[in-house]
Amino acid sequence: MERRNFVKNACIYCLGATALGATFAELMSCSTSGLPIYKTGEVKNILVPLSLFAQSKVVVVRPSNSEFDILVVKKADNLYNAFLMECTHRENPLTATNTGLYCPAHGSRFDLDGNVTQGPATEPLQYYKVIINGDNAAINII
Amino acid sequence: MKKLTLLILIGFLPYLNASAQVLTPQDSLNDNLTANNIKSTQISGYGEAKVQYDTRFQTADADLTRNVLYVGHKFNNKISFFSEWEVEDAKVAGGQLGGEISLEQCFLKFNLNRDNYLVAGLFTPRIGIMNENHLPTTFNGNDRPFVETLIIPSTWREVGVGLYGDIRAIPGLNYSIGLVNGLNSAGFSANQGIGGDGLFEGRNATASNIALTGSLLYYIQNFRIQASGYYGGSAGLTQRKADSLQLESGPFGTPVGVGEFDVQYLTKAVTFKALGTIVDIPDAYEIDRAYANNTPQEMIGAYAEVGVNLLYFFNKTNERKFIVFGRYEYVDMAAQTPADGISNGADRQKYIVAGITYLPIKGIVIKADYVLRVSGTPNSLLNLNPFGPQPVYYTSNGYLNVGIGYSF
């Protein structure tokens, strides 16, 4: 096969395979894959069921009228932290995993305490206090 | 081609709407987490300067390598503006060599939802590490990796649109796809590859050529893994002109393909980076015939770097960093030369870089390093003045660099 055709076809097929593979992964996903996501309406005090932390030590909270998600991290049985998932470098949305938060735009990294572990960000994440309220973790948004 | 393009677009449609996992309804109050429609303007920037001593010629140069001013404006929660103005070498004076003023980026960003956003304008596609992550406080060495300067011509920016987002079903997985203007094959060269005049960088770019870029970026544990690709045309001519030069016209005519894969392992104590890339120009023979610019048919490059933050072992909470690093790079800008090209040994280079990177506080960096460059022997056929004094070229040369950098 001519090199030109090979390169052309290879790129097309790689892009197609990427799209198909990602689509397949998304369609096959269920609530057990990915981080738990808790959707909520506009609130000042968000109540997150503690039962969500049975499957993951981090939960993504999605207030309906907020520009960014909030990541709630279980540090210990009665100790939780919450951070706005907005990169403090250029205000890009962060990607969260069980080990930290990452900005795909310019490479900044934050640990699960919200501190910068890799620049170019220099400021820690916006922190929200979390208190235990019965069976819920209450995030106090000021 | 059309069917497959449609398939690719359909494949990414699911990510334009956040798939909901609604678990519990919640009463709502009137307050918002982030106030809507608050306009704000942000100014920041970065820059670097260095002094370099050439151990062979025993001369030194001092240069304000670059200063970049970032101006951004948030119109509302959905639409923002980003721009970066760059001045290289401190001064641009008419008629004098050196110096450059340019827009490194200038685009509008549209937040489609919390997982996906669209950019439109002049932007840097996600190819390699440096193209997006090039602030001096984020890499070791006074010079950016040579593979990502010579092979992947960072910072490589073009005009177009890009779609970015994360795939929530797989935590840590991000994607990007872009449609930008193509390259300028008339500006290709042996020692700059597709860089230099091969890039339009937003100035009078011909959109007769277009290019597709795509990447997958995955974070897992302390690893950052990325694969990216580029495929685009480079003729930029009407069919009549292309035919007269015997070049292929059309959106993807006279194509260029770029592939890249990199892995990073990043902890507070140790960092590791490895990257490999290949550039393929299948019509290099035709380009050389048309422009006599010695375009290579294939270029390859790779590097690996290890860094250790010594201060971490004395105090794990110390925000200061003192990194000792070493990097090996292989650059072959003439991996394949077309039959009508001239292979030059000097375009095959190896670099060994070793030094220290000190960050007294976040945003400030002081660097010192030694660069050993080893190349092949230059091809004497490329010496256009064989009867005059020939410039001295050392196949092995060392450079001492000391510099500073900042970002805020």
Side-chain angles (χ1 to χ4, degrees):
Chain A
M1 182 186 293
E2 283 185 344
R3 175 182 290 274
R4 188 171 103 192
N5 284 336
F6 172 78
V7 171
K8 178 179 174 180
N9 292 332
C11 288
I12 291 172
Y13 291 134
C14 282
L15 282 174
T18 301
L20 287 173
T23 303
F24 179 80
E26 177 76 338
L27 292 174
M28 292 300 291
S29 69
C30 61
S31 60
T32 59
S33 68
L35 298 179
I37 297 177
Y38 180 70
K39 293 193 73 175
T40 178
E42 299 177 78
V43 292
K44 184 182 289 185
N45 291 294
I46 301 173
L47 298 179
V48 182
L50 293 177
S51 58
L52 291 176
F53 295 92
Q55 50 183 298
S56 172
K57 70 176 181 180
V58 297
V59 171
V60 176
V61 176
R62 180 156 288 191
S64 62
N65 204 30
S66 170
E67 186 179 356
F68 297 96
D69 292 335
I70 296 173
L71 189 72
V72 182
V73 181
K74 180 180 179 181
K75 301 287 291 181
D77 278 342
N78 291 309
L79 179 61
Y80 294 79
N81 289 331
F83 308 100
L84 189 66
M85 290 176 61
E86 174 193 20
C87 185
T88 54
H89 175 233
R90 291 278 185 272
E91 301 179 5
N92 282 298
L94 295 173
T95 294
T97 69
N98 282 312
T99 56
L101 299 99
Y102 309 89
C103 180
H106 305 109
S108 296
R109 300 162 70 106
F110 304 84
D111 60 21
L112 292 179
D113 292 319
N115 298 314
V116 176
T117 57
Q118 172 81 19
T122 57
E123 299 297 321
L125 298 178
Q126 170 70 51
Y127 169 80
Y128 300 114
K129 187 175 180 181
V130 181
I131 58 175
I132 303 302
N133 183 352
D135 294 330
N136 299 296
I139 308 173
N140 184 24
I141 308 298
I142 299 176
Chain B
M1 175 64 179
K2 288 180 181 176
K3 288 180 183 176
L4 205 46
T5 305
L6 181 61
L7 181 63
I8 291 167
L9 291 172
I10 291 173
F12 281 104
L13 278 178
Y15 310 109
L16 300 183
N17 290 314
S19 57
Q21 288 190 29
V22 181
L23 300 176
T24 309
Q26 183 78 34
D27 292 338
S28 63
L29 299 176
N30 290 327
D31 292 334
N32 299 330
L33 270 172
T34 306
N36 289 323
N37 300 324
I38 285 189
K39 299 179 176 59
S40 65
T41 302
Q42 184 182 21
I43 294 177
S44 66
Y46 67 89
E48 50 193 329
K50 74 173 185 183
V51 175
Q52 182 180 77
Y53 176 73
D54 185 319
T55 60
R56 279 287 191 180
F57 290 96
Q58 297 181 342
T59 59
D61 294 307
D63 189 39
L64 183 73
T65 314
R66 59 179 51 84
N67 183 71
V68 177
L69 177 67
Y70 164 84
V71 177
H73 180 74
K74 184 174 178 178
F75 293 91
N76 56 36
N77 283 355
K78 292 292 186 184
I79 305 176
S80 302
F81 167 73
F82 291 77
S83 70
E84 287 188 348
W85 300 77
E86 179 179 29
V87 177
E88 290 186 359
D89 305 330
K91 178 179 172 182
V92 178
Q96 296 180 8
L97 292 176
E100 181 179 300
I101 298 175
S102 61
L103 271 169
E104 194 169 276
Q105 298 193 81
C106 188
F107 60 86
L108 291 174
K109 178 185 172 190
F110 302 89
N111 293 330
L112 303 175
N113 52 48
R114 269 168 284 199
D115 294 314
N116 304 279
Y117 63 89
L118 184 80
V119 300
L122 180 70
F123 67 98
T124 52
R126 184 167 295 163
I127 303 173
I129 300 174
M130 284 291 120
N131 218 36
E132 285 183 311
N133 306 318
H134 48 261
L135 271 60
T137 53
T138 63
F139 64 89
N140 292 315
N142 283 276
D143 300 309
R144 295 170 180 176
F146 298 95
V147 171
E148 295 200 78
T149 305
L150 299 171
I151 308 288
I152 301 175
S154 304
T155 48
W156 180 1
R157 62 267 193 184
E158 301 288 5
V159 177
V161 294
L163 180 64
Y164 296 78
D166 66 80
I167 299 174
R168 212 173 336 111
I170 305 175
L173 185 60
N174 294 267
Y175 75 91
S176 74
I177 51 176
L179 176 66
V180 298
N181 61 268
L183 297 169
N184 175 29
S185 54
F188 293 169
S189 64
N191 59 4
Q192 286 193 296
I194 61 175
D197 292 336
L199 309 176
F200 287 103
E201 298 182 321
R203 183 174 67 177
N204 297 328
T206 171
S208 301
N209 293 329
I210 58 173
L212 288 173
T213 74
S215 74
L216 281 177
L217 168 59
Y218 186 47
Y219 292 99
I220 180 169
Q221 302 298 326
N222 292 312
F223 287 92
R224 181 188 187 276
I225 305 168
Q226 177 179 299
S228 65
Y230 169 101
Y231 186 81
S234 69
L237 302 166
T238 61
Q239 184 169 354
R240 180 178 177 182
K241 285 185 181 177
D243 289 347
S244 69
L245 291 173
Q246 299 185 56
L247 294 175
E248 183 185 351
S249 60
F252 293 95
T254 314
V256 174
V258 181
E260 172 271 330
F261 181 79
D262 69 80
V263 176
Q264 296 184 66
Y265 177 78
L266 302 168
T267 67
K268 291 181 181 179
V270 176
T271 60
F272 170 78
K273 296 181 184 180
L275 179 145
T277 183
I278 180 170
V279 175
D280 192 80
I281 308 174
D283 289 359
Y285 178 91
E286 288 81 1
I287 296 171
D288 282 345
R289 183 178 57 196
Y291 301 116
N293 55 8
N294 210 17
T295 296
Q297 189 167 325
E298 185 175 281
M299 301 187 291
I300 58 175
Y303 72 85
E305 176 187 292
V306 175
V308 178
N309 176 18
L310 297 180
L311 290 182
Y312 176 81
F313 298 102
F314 296 96
N315 183 350
K316 290 181 172 49
T317 62
N318 199 338
E319 287 198 345
R320 292 182 299 159
K321 292 183 180 180
F322 187 89
I323 300 168
V324 178
F325 77 95
R327 183 169 71 233
Y328 174 80
E329 301 194 52
Y330 177 74
V331 174
D332 189 349
M333 304 190 70
Q336 281 201 32
T337 305
D340 56 0
I342 301 176
S343 179
N344 187 3
D347 292 332
R348 296 186 180 88
Q349 302 158 5
K350 299 174 187 175
Y351 295 86
I352 296 175
V353 186
I356 60 108
T357 302
Y358 177 53
L359 293 97
I361 59 171
K362 291 191 183 77
I364 298 292
V365 67
I366 302 167
K367 301 179 178 181
D369 57 78
Y370 176 78
V371 177
L372 173 64
R373 187 203 73 208
V374 178
S375 74
T377 304
N379 191 329
S380 59
L381 293 175
L382 293 169
N383 182 8
L384 301 180
N385 186 18
F387 300 107
Q390 297 188 18
V392 177
Y393 182 87
Y394 293 106
T395 57
S396 171
N397 201 350
Y399 304 87
L400 281 168
N401 300 301
V402 177
I404 58 167
Y406 57 88
S407 69
F408 60 93

